[in-house]
Amino acid sequence: MTFHLFRLECLRMLRDPRYLALAVVAPIGFYLLFATIFGGDPTQPGELKGTVEIMVAMAAYGAIWGALSATGPRLAHERSSGWLEQLRSMPVTARHLLTAKIAAGLAVALPAIVLVCVTAAVAKDVRLAAWQWAALVPAMWLGTLPFALLGVVVGLLVGPEAAFPLSYGLYMAASALGGLWVPPARLSAPLQDVAHTLPTYRLADLGWRIAAGHAPTWADVAVLAAWCAGFAALAVLAQGRRPRRARTGAASAAAVG
């Protein structure tokens, strides 16, 4: 049952023009724009070429929105429309549904990473070793898990009217503060400290380090894992509140009757 829900969620996202525009087309367009303007800037020894650094940043940018949009706004809408209640009449548990949502969020994050990397290789002649490509794409893909979990938290806590703007606002703020729009080295020292605590920066840093020929740091893995644990705990708490509210509402209706 979880697989069928996962397949349904993926098909729905791939047919959503907002997903295609914001998670696929926009990162490719931004990559081509920024790589053309800034990609030829001279670099210091040991620094990544601009075309490579921007490639990783825009791949992370698109993947984050794919994971977040597949969970938050859709889950909030399904709660409001009664679709979740209809699923309760089927052999579908909350665990099945949320697992399918999170898996779909990860699945639809992958096209942004792959297509931005392909665009960089074809249009800007970005060349990495085979092992770097083989490590970079899966590492960044798995690194989007915190954002799928964040989307579940948003979808469980807010209504459909607020879910999309809240998700998009968090996405843009975390992308800017996490160094996806401006190289982290060019941020002020206080903002660099903030960036290093954010999952957006740590996701991109996975890719930057692999592209530079290094292994990701334990700090990258630990920060991403901590955000995963935090969002997962919030999702469990948010899901645990829903049945109590439903029972309270049912009890009130019975009392009035």
Side-chain angles (χ1 to χ4, degrees):
M1 182 58 72
T2 301
F3 174 77
H4 293 298
L5 288 171
F6 163 74
R7 180 174 176 274
L8 174 63
E9 292 296 328
C10 290
L11 289 175
R12 290 172 65 191
M13 285 302 298
L14 293 174
R15 294 170 181 169
D16 185 347
R18 286 197 301 189
Y19 158 76
L20 295 173
L22 295 176
V24 179
V25 176
I28 292 174
F30 287 139
Y31 172 75
L32 292 172
L33 174 64
F34 297 147
T36 299
I37 297 174
F38 304 112
D41 291 351
T43 59
Q44 299 297 321
E47 290 184 347
L48 286 173
K49 290 178 60 178
T51 51
V52 178
E53 185 175 13
I54 296 168
M55 175 191 75
V56 171
M58 290 299 101
Y61 178 72
I64 290 167
W65 181 246
L68 192 54
S69 64
T71 49
R74 288 196 173 275
L75 185 55
H77 178 75
E78 289 167 1
R79 283 176 49 231
S80 175
S81 67
W83 172 240
L84 295 187
E85 297 305 319
Q86 293 182 37
L87 287 177
R88 290 179 184 277
S89 64
M90 303 169 61
V92 178
T93 65
R95 180 176 59 83
H96 289 142
L97 176 65
L98 296 183
T99 299
K101 288 281 185 187
I102 293 167
L106 287 174
V108 300
L110 186 59
I113 300 172
V114 172
L115 292 176
V116 169
C117 289
V118 169
T119 301
V122 172
K124 296 299 178 181
D125 199 34
V126 169
R127 294 290 180 265
L128 299 178
W131 74 265
Q132 289 174 298
W133 290 120
L136 184 147
V137 172
M140 293 190 67
W141 179 47
L142 293 175
T144 61
L145 178 58
F147 304 99
L149 291 167
L150 172 59
V152 169
V153 173
V154 170
L156 289 173
L157 291 180
V158 304
E161 297 81 7
F164 183 87
L166 177 60
S167 298
Y168 196 73
L170 290 171
Y171 164 61
M172 294 300 290
S175 296
L177 292 172
L180 301 187
W181 289 105
V182 177
R186 298 184 185 180
L187 297 173
S188 65
L191 288 180
Q192 286 187 39
D193 292 337
V194 172
H196 291 168
T197 67
L198 296 177
T200 40
Y201 169 80
R202 294 298 176 175
L203 171 60
D205 198 48
L206 291 175
W208 288 327
R209 289 186 178 276
I210 292 171
H214 308 303
T217 66
W218 283 109
D220 289 335
V221 176
V223 171
L224 288 169
W227 281 102
C228 282
F231 289 142
L234 286 175
V236 170
L237 291 173
Q239 177 63 22
R241 291 175 57 200
R242 295 186 64 249
R244 288 196 294 270
R245 286 201 299 266
R247 287 196 296 267
T248 300
S252 299
V256 172

